[in-house]
Amino acid sequence: MDETSFLAGYDPRDYPAIAVTVDVVALTIRGGRLCVLLVERGEQPFAGHRALPGGFVREETLGEAALRELAEETGLTPGTGELDRVHLEQLQTYGDPHRDPRMRVVSVAYLAFAPSLPEPTAGSDAARAYWVPVEEAKDLAFDHDGILADGLERARAKLEYTPLATAFTGAEFTIGDLRQVYTAVWGEELHAGNFHRKVLSVPGFVESTGETTARGGERGGPRARLYRAGDARLLHPALLRPTREDRVR
């Protein structure tokens, strides 16, 4: 049988029905705290419960679906360049047969980072949307507690060996700004001097703009130097979390 004949007789109803969704772990830093975007579900199942933003995939790619869901909840407009500053990467696929009470639903989760995102606006299937400090994001709908945990670990690990921290900053930043990102994402205090030395010892991590801040720190002192993201794709040597550094030793 050739392919044309095979497809003419092929009936997808011979196989169990399955749906595909995307869920987005969107992270940003607000007031020095790492926050995740959550929605309050306006429809069953889990009506009234908090959840990660997401939805069923339409006639689009998985990445397009993730950006659409993110845009719906943040008010950013696709195609205008507003989403260009958002770092988006695929996290993991979740396919437990019982993860959704409606039917067999496989979800492809995405991780999104941005230096700053606006106050969220609930999409069509959500009653509310808001930024929540990650330590307060618990008891989520479906299997979203596990997805969020996986997303946080991915983010924390990637800050060790990639320059992803610069996705949380503006185009220009100080080493102190970068340290605040690491502190918020890792949830660990970092020694300012040691951090400054480590960052500048990694080839290609950051590069100087040749400029300084307009004024000194809160307690006076010299103006801080401004940097931009360098061309490194991996950090070598890696910047390990203090708790992991202790274990390595």
Side-chain angles (χ1 to χ4, degrees), residues 52-220:
L52 297 170
F56 288 94
V57 177
R58 303 172 185 172
E59 292 295 323
E60 59 197 344
T61 67
L62 293 170
E64 288 169 346
L67 282 174
R68 173 177 54 78
E69 290 292 342
L70 182 61
E72 287 180 2
E73 309 300 351
T74 59
L76 298 178
T77 306
T80 63
E82 291 182 331
L83 288 169
D84 291 348
R85 58 197 175 119
V86 178
H87 172 90
L88 185 74
E89 66 177 69
Q90 197 172 116
L91 173 63
Q92 192 170 316
T93 301
Y94 298 83
D96 187 293
H98 308 293
R99 62 177 303 277
D100 191 311
R102 291 169 290 191
M103 61 181 296
R104 181 73 190 272
V105 177
V106 172
S107 183
V108 181
Y110 278 79
L111 192 57
F113 307 96
S116 61
L117 288 170
E119 288 297 328
T121 55
S124 58
D125 58 350
R128 295 174 57 203
Y130 34 75
W131 292 104
V132 177
V134 294
E135 63 271 16
E136 299 175 12
K138 301 175 182 177
D139 301 319
L140 306 181
F142 304 104
D143 53 356
H144 290 186
D145 284 313
I147 296 176
L148 175 57
D150 291 341
L152 290 173
E153 180 53 33
R154 168 77 68 86
R156 288 165 177 159
K158 291 201 75 167
L159 259 62
E160 295 186 326
Y161 62 89
T162 76
L164 190 60
T166 58
F168 286 98
T169 68
E172 297 183 351
F173 50 86
T174 67
I175 300 298
D177 294 333
L178 198 62
R179 179 166 51 85
Q180 290 175 3
V181 170
Y182 275 87
T183 297
V185 176
W186 283 349
E188 299 184 40
E189 289 298 325
L190 304 173
H191 185 277
N194 288 344
F195 180 81
H196 192 283
R197 174 180 52 79
K198 289 178 180 179
V199 168
L200 296 185
S201 70
V202 180
F205 186 4
V206 299
E207 59 182 36
S208 175
T209 66
E211 304 293 331
T212 61
T213 55
R215 62 184 66 183
E218 295 180 359
R219 300 181 181 179

Side-chain angles (χ1 to χ4, degrees), residues 20-33:
V20 178
T21 61
V22 292
D23 290 304
V24 182
V25 180
L27 302 173
T28 195
I29 295 174
R30 299 169 66 88
R33 303 177 75 182

Side-chain angles (χ1 to χ4, degrees), residues 212-232:
T212 61
T213 55
R215 62 184 66 183
E218 295 180 359
R219 300 181 181 179
R223 293 180 294 181
R225 293 181 180 179
L226 289 171
Y227 295 85
R228 65 173 69 94
D231 59 4

